[in-house]
Amino acid sequence: MFLIDGHLDLSMNALEWNRDLTRPLAEVRQREAGKTDKKDRGRGVCTFPEMRRGQIGLCIATQIARYVAKDNPLPGWHAPEIAWAQTQGQLAWYRAMEDRGQMVQIRDKAGLAQHVALWQNPLPLGEGGDRRSPGEGLPIGYVLSLEGADSIVELSYLERSYASGLRALGPAHYGPGRYSPGTGAAGGLTAAGRELVKEMRRLGIVLDVTHLTDEAFWEALDLYDGPVWASHNNVRALVPHQRQFNDDQLKELIRRDAIIGAAFDAWMMVPGWVRGTTTPEQTGVKIETIVDHIDHICQLAGSSRHCAIGSDLDGGYGTEQTPLDLDSIADLQRLTEILARRGYSAADITGIMHANWIRKLSEALPA
Ligand SMILES: [Zn+2]
């Protein structure tokens, strides 16, 4: 079944992990053998051939570059202008993928409709009329998003980004931020963050509330009355950590008709995970574990209307931190069968796999 993934840091993986995502997964892993500079070397789960095998024909793909002040121990760039340049390098990679026919940028409603039709009704191959296998030879669509706004040097850069196709933005990532503190930090939006959110509304950029602190979450939603989503977020009632949303936050997102993308980063799926220490084997985390999070949101909402996928399976971790039964992003396709076994109707499953994202994107993208 056609699948939309609401969160993949594809260009970060290409530039910082030096992965050629056009190559087969086994080859990308093989090329990293013996490397130890990243914890997931040789364990990545996402390449374009695997996305096509899993019928992931559309994703929300990020630019991401953090600014770090002298006292910030997180990895990042030492000036906002350097962070900006990093995101522009990431954009250059997306453009090169477009030139090769590997990707296509979705910027508006018409582009979305055309791309969804292409994946749902692939053209016959050749005279024999034999149809393509799903995804074969098709470009992967992407809606451009920015994860963490540090690289927006000042507000005029946001307008330039919109012109490059930026359609969604999450003001925060991990730690302190120039516009908003994020995961692991505390406090509300900065003065610049409040201006940023207003400028996003003016331009028509979707607010991605993922990674916002609790304070910034409520503040941003007060300031912003446009379309909202949480691209990759799980449930705090199941995994108690500020990175997940509590029920009040989830209810507000439901009230705002947001989409909440279920994330497959294992530490966000099961409680008590210590990153770098806990293993999937110790916890028994499986793909099905995510259905507990989806169920929780469905119960709060009274329907599956707000649930979708935002796997983050290109988020700088690999099989050391994914469900036991997931070796490739293509394994997300098994959700159809798992959801059916858990009692979800055909309409619910279609919604979670793609239709809920399509509905929201159709509303949020410009004409
Ligand atoms: Zn993230």
Side-chain angles (χ1 to χ4, degrees), residues 90-109:
Q90 293 169 346
L91 181 63
W93 179 79
Y94 286 125
R95 295 286 186 246
M97 292 298 100
E98 291 175 54
D99 292 343
R100 282 193 52 190
Q102 292 277 344
M103 298 187 83
V104 60
Q105 189 180 50
I106 307 300
R107 302 164 67 102
D108 53 30
K109 292 184 208 300

Side-chain angles (χ1 to χ4, degrees), residues 225-239:
D225 64 356
V228 173
W229 60 54
S231 59
H232 55 306
N233 246 106
N234 292 346
V235 170
R236 197 178 296 177
L238 300 175
V239 180

Side-chain angles (χ1 to χ4, degrees), residues 7 147 173 210-211 232 243 312:
H7 187 78
E147 183 167 29
H173 190 227
T210 293
H211 286 294
H232 55 306
R243 172 67 182 83
D312 202 15

Side-chain angles (χ1 to χ4, degrees), residues 93 101 163 170 214 292 322 351 353 361:
W93 179 79
D214 290 2
D292 300 339
T322 58
M353 297 295 273
L361 286 165

Side-chain angles (χ1 to χ4, degrees), residues 298 303-305 307 339 343-353 356:
C298 290
S303 80
S304 63
R305 177 179 172 88
C307 291
L339 288 166
Y344 284 73
S345 71
D348 289 331
I349 296 168
T350 304
I352 292 166
M353 297 295 273
N356 291 338

